[in-house]
Amino acid sequence: MAVPAQRAYLDRFRELARRAAFRGEIAFTRFLEPAWEEDARAVARETGAKAAFFGGHEDAERRIAAFWSDVEPEDGEYPLECLEARWSAKFSSPGHRDFLGALMGLGVVRESLGDIAVLEGRALMIVHRDVAGFVRASLESVGRASVRVESFSGEMQWPAPAGETLTRTVAQLRLDAVLAAGYNLSREEAQAKIRSGLVKRNHQVELRGDFRLQEGDLLSVRGMGRLILQNVGAQTKKGRIAIRLFRMGK
């Protein structure tokens, strides 16, 4: 059964999808949590509309859904803007959480915020077009850093996530086995985190430790970061499966 927040999202999706299907309009959502995208696709199928997604760059995690029927919107039609914040890296080094907290402290809701990438002395922020002017005028400090925000006009090359590549072997491609290998946990510790609801697969909570993973699956453990199963190789001479993982962050 859908919880109230999910029902509200589904009702909004249906309203936008029907507008697209029956009026031939393109209707956009705000930025979606990744887990909502499958619901948006399901509503599009249900209403006879189509759904497309864009978040400002090719690998965006938080994206806006577009419901359409005749002509799929171009990337430039999505109601978003990329902003760039700069500060002196000599005196402070704000992180992603600092930016998110500063923006929400201004009253900008999470649904108006897309991806944020923090680099050396600057950050890229993708925001809904409705709040872009407000953020440019109002965001003056992040953490201990004084920042200057302008519209980003350069060529968009979103930085790759920081992290490390791991080569491991597992007996099976079970969720608990891969978690244990990727986070240096015992099998029992991995199973305990799964049973406690702390583990997500592709942004959805997964409670089955024996769930069989596939290449490209994104895993996360609350408080421990995220892990991508990049490659599944051949069996070793000992009958184990070689895998390549990418663990985000440090």
Side-chain angles (χ1 to χ4, degrees):
M1 180 180 295
V3 298
Q6 186 179 14
R7 285 197 295 269
Y9 269 103
L10 291 174
D11 288 345
R12 181 58 175 161
F13 289 166
R14 291 189 180 97
E15 176 187 347
L16 296 173
R18 286 169 181 150
R19 188 188 306 171
F22 301 132
R23 301 182 190 173
E25 301 176 4
I26 299 174
F28 297 99
T29 66
R30 311 294 284 190
F31 285 99
L32 303 181
E33 295 290 342
W36 293 112
E37 289 193 7
E38 187 52 44
D39 289 315
R41 292 188 181 94
V43 167
R45 291 191 295 269
E46 168 191 318
T47 56
K50 299 175 183 177
F53 304 86
F54 183 62
H57 63 99
E58 183 177 352
D59 298 316
E61 179 173 305
R62 294 177 59 81
R63 304 193 292 180
I64 288 174
F67 293 103
W68 58 283
S69 60
D70 298 323
V71 180
E72 182 175 356
E74 300 288 338
D75 292 349
E77 296 180 69
Y78 284 75
L80 53 81
E81 185 173 334
C82 184
L83 305 179
E84 182 179 40
R86 289 187 174 272
W87 65 92
S88 175
K90 294 181 180 179
F91 304 109
S92 56
S93 54
H96 184 278
R97 289 185 181 181
D98 297 314
F99 271 90
L100 190 57
L103 289 164
M104 297 183 74
L106 292 174
V108 181
V109 297
R110 192 67 177 98
E111 291 81 6
S112 293
L113 302 175
D115 288 0
I116 300 172
V118 181
L119 308 168
E120 183 70 21
R122 69 187 186 102
L124 297 176
M125 305 172 290
I126 297 177
V127 303
H128 195 280
R129 193 173 294 153
D130 286 353
V131 303
F134 173 74
V135 172
R136 283 197 304 270
S138 304
L139 187 63
E140 298 178 344
S141 63
V142 177
R144 297 180 180 179
S146 296
V147 302
R148 182 180 71 258
V149 181
E150 298 177 349
S151 295
F152 180 75
S153 57
E155 182 180 351
M156 176 63 74
Q157 292 184 338
W158 202 258
E164 59 181 328
T165 299
L166 308 172
T167 301
R168 300 284 190 267
T169 64
V170 292
Q172 301 178 61
L173 290 175
R174 292 168 48 115
L175 174 61
D176 53 7
V178 174
L179 280 186
Y183 291 104
N184 298 320
L185 301 172
S186 69
R187 190 75 164 267
E188 292 73 20
E189 289 172 328
Q191 290 170 345
K193 292 184 180 298
I194 294 167
R195 288 194 301 270
S196 298
L198 302 178
V199 176
K200 290 184 178 181
R201 182 188 65 86
N202 298 336
H203 308 288
Q204 300 279 3
V205 173
E206 180 56 71
L207 299 173
R208 295 168 292 176
D210 61 352
F211 186 91
R212 303 285 171 160
L213 300 179
Q214 298 179 350
E215 281 188 10
D217 277 345
L218 173 65
L219 310 177
S220 64
V221 179
R222 191 181 305 168
M224 297 182 69
R226 295 183 294 176
L227 192 71
I228 299 175
L229 177 56
Q230 289 186 325
N231 178 261
V232 177
Q235 280 194 345
T236 68
K237 292 181 180 180
K238 296 184 178 181
R240 294 175 65 83
I241 302 170
I243 59 174
R244 185 176 72 241
L245 304 165
F246 183 76
R247 188 164 61 196
M248 299 183 191
K250 296 298 286 182

